[in-house]
Amino acid sequence: EDLGVQHRLWVYSGRRGVHCWVCDDAVRKWSPALRAAAVEYLSLVKVGARGARNPLPPPDPSEGGFMGAWAPPDPAEALTPPAQYREPLQAEFPKKKDSVQRWELLRGRVERTRASGRGVALGPCYADWEVMLQFCFPRLDINVSKGLGHLLKSPFSVHPKTGRVSVPLDLQRLDQFDPFAVPTITSLCHELDTAGSDGEQEDVGETEPKRRARDYKKTSLAPYVRVFEQFVEGMESARRGERIRRSDLQGDF
């Protein structure tokens, strides 16, 4: 909204990332300097920057998302507190059976410190919120965004490690999206084989030729293709409206 961007297509990477394709004509003509400035403006959590409090890598969804990142003993360093707070946490973390218990331990320790008036040692008494911000706020890849010649991953490509398809996201149903349930190259091949077998059985005894449906419509990829088609249709509609507006302006002179 701040940058006036209208046409954005959000695409799941197939593993743990999300790509945002910005297709506004004006934005696509931006120089690398403008692109870098936009990413800098949107970056709140800076990985590896001097002074940035981000000692842990981003969590992997395959390990339970945010909670899965809390494996001992490193999480105690996320707050970078003095030794008298850090060392007890490091000693107690391995005793907890899962990440949920470790997180509750950390929050309880923060609450007790806050209540005792010693919260200055942990910052402005928002240590637990700061940890969540560090892990959950998107980290932007500045090199992908600013480099005009950077290799880009196309929608509907297949992730080489997971086999999952990079599918467009429907923002209206984002809370229903499951990254582990997206189509994989193996599942699509199986669905196509099954659909082909069923089609052969149905065609037996028919004399009139039937119009063949596109293969992807027989698979779980169909709703994602529709999201992509709706995005393209919206962009084309906006472009036609802009051409009409320019034509009307030229006719006024």
Side-chain angles (χ1 to χ4, degrees), residues 24-37:
D24 296 53
D25 286 341
V27 175
R28 289 188 294 176
K29 298 174 183 177
W30 281 3
S31 67
L34 277 176
R35 294 164 180 261

Side-chain angles (χ1 to χ4, degrees), residues 194-236:
T194 302
S197 300
D198 295 342
E200 291 176 1
Q201 295 177 1
E202 293 176 359
D203 289 342
V204 175
E206 293 186 0
T207 57
E208 296 183 2
K210 295 175 60 178
R211 183 178 181 182
R212 182 179 178 182
R214 295 188 176 183
D215 288 340
Y216 77 84
K217 293 186 177 180
K218 306 174 185 177
T219 70
S220 55
L221 199 62
Y224 300 106
V225 176
R226 183 55 188 155
V227 172
F228 183 77
E229 291 175 340
Q230 290 174 342
F231 172 76
V232 175
E233 290 168 0
M235 200 163 53
E236 285 295 325

Side-chain angles (χ1 to χ4, degrees), residues 95-111:
K95 301 177 184 178
K96 303 301 179 181
K97 69 177 183 179
D98 56 31
S99 295
V100 176
Q101 291 188 355
R102 295 177 193 125
W103 175 243
E104 292 302 324
L105 170 66
L106 181 61
R107 291 190 64 185
R109 187 63 54 84
V110 170
E111 289 296 332

Side-chain angles (χ1 to χ4, degrees), residues 1-148:
E1 293 177 356
D2 289 359
L3 300 177
V5 173
Q6 299 293 328
H7 302 291
R8 303 177 304 276
L9 177 67
W10 297 87
V11 181
Y12 170 54
S13 71
R15 191 182 182 190
R16 64 182 184 185
V18 179
H19 302 157
C20 180
W21 287 78
V22 180
C23 298
D24 296 53
D25 286 341
V27 175
R28 289 188 294 176
K29 298 174 183 177
W30 281 3
S31 67
L34 277 176
R35 294 164 180 261
V39 176
E40 179 73 17
Y41 175 73
L42 296 171
S43 296
L44 181 61
V45 177
K46 300 178 181 179
V47 179
R50 177 177 296 181
R53 289 169 289 182
N54 186 33
L56 299 179
D60 191 330
S62 64
E63 298 176 356
F66 166 58
M67 298 307 300
W70 292 94
D74 290 337
E77 299 178 5
L79 301 178
T80 59
Q84 67 265 33
Y85 298 106
R86 182 173 65 249
E87 292 175 1
L89 285 174
Q90 289 178 325
E92 294 180 44
F93 263 39
K95 301 177 184 178
K96 303 301 179 181
K97 69 177 183 179
D98 56 31
S99 295
V100 176
Q101 291 188 355
R102 295 177 193 125
W103 175 243
E104 292 302 324
L105 170 66
L106 181 61
R107 291 190 64 185
R109 187 63 54 84
V110 170
E111 289 296 332
R112 288 197 298 272
T113 303
R114 185 179 301 162
S116 65
R118 294 176 295 166
V120 177
L122 292 178
C125 293
Y126 294 107
D128 47 351
W129 287 94
E130 183 173 336
V131 171
M132 289 189 283
L133 177 66
Q134 292 287 340
F135 278 108
C136 298
F137 195 84
R139 288 159 172 78
L140 304 181
D141 191 332
I142 187 171
N143 292 323
V144 173
S145 301
K146 75 175 184 179
L148 298 178

